[in-house]
Amino acid sequence: QMLYDAAARIPGVTLYTPRPEDGYGVPVLSLNIEGRASTDVAEELNRYGVAVRAGLHCAPLAHQSAGTLEAGTVRASVSAFNTPREVERFTQEVARLTAGQK
């Protein structure tokens, strides 16, 4: 919930994962940053120590439904082993990318 809420507040970020409060409590957040390729975003985040995946994630029909079949998405996965600080760091790095900062 913390990851979803924080990412949803970042201008220029589109979330494709249903909202947790709608009953979809999956620990995966799928997103894109406006004007940036998912693979470029993933590469940049990885460069700063934030591990994510980019692309179609073995789910082309889900991407077709979401309208992301051509571009894919950036996918972040969280678990009970992630800390609130890690979620905060992830969202700070995503916000930095939306602002066009390097």
Side-chain angles (χ1 to χ4, degrees), residues 24-61:
Y24 299 97
V26 296
V28 175
L29 183 69
S30 200
L31 64 91
N32 276 320
I33 294 176
E34 185 178 323
R36 304 207 49 176
S38 64
T39 51
D40 293 344
V41 171
E43 184 178 315
E44 182 91 9
L45 289 171
N46 284 326
R47 196 173 309 137
Y48 286 95
V50 178
V52 295
R53 303 288 304 258
L56 297 181
H57 317 298
C58 300
L61 293 178

Side-chain angles (χ1 to χ4, degrees), residues 41-100:
V41 171
E43 184 178 315
E44 182 91 9
L45 289 171
N46 284 326
R47 196 173 309 137
Y48 286 95
V50 178
V52 295
R53 303 288 304 258
L56 297 181
H57 317 298
C58 300
L61 293 178
H63 284 282
Q64 184 176 14
S65 174
T68 59
L69 187 58
E70 296 298 318
T73 63
V74 176
R75 182 183 70 203
S77 301
V78 294
S79 75
F81 298 103
N82 292 106
T83 66
R85 176 65 188 123
E86 289 170 324
V87 170
E88 183 180 314
R89 175 133 188 279
F90 171 81
T91 54
Q92 286 173 343
E93 292 297 337
V94 170
R96 182 184 55 77
L97 292 177
T98 64

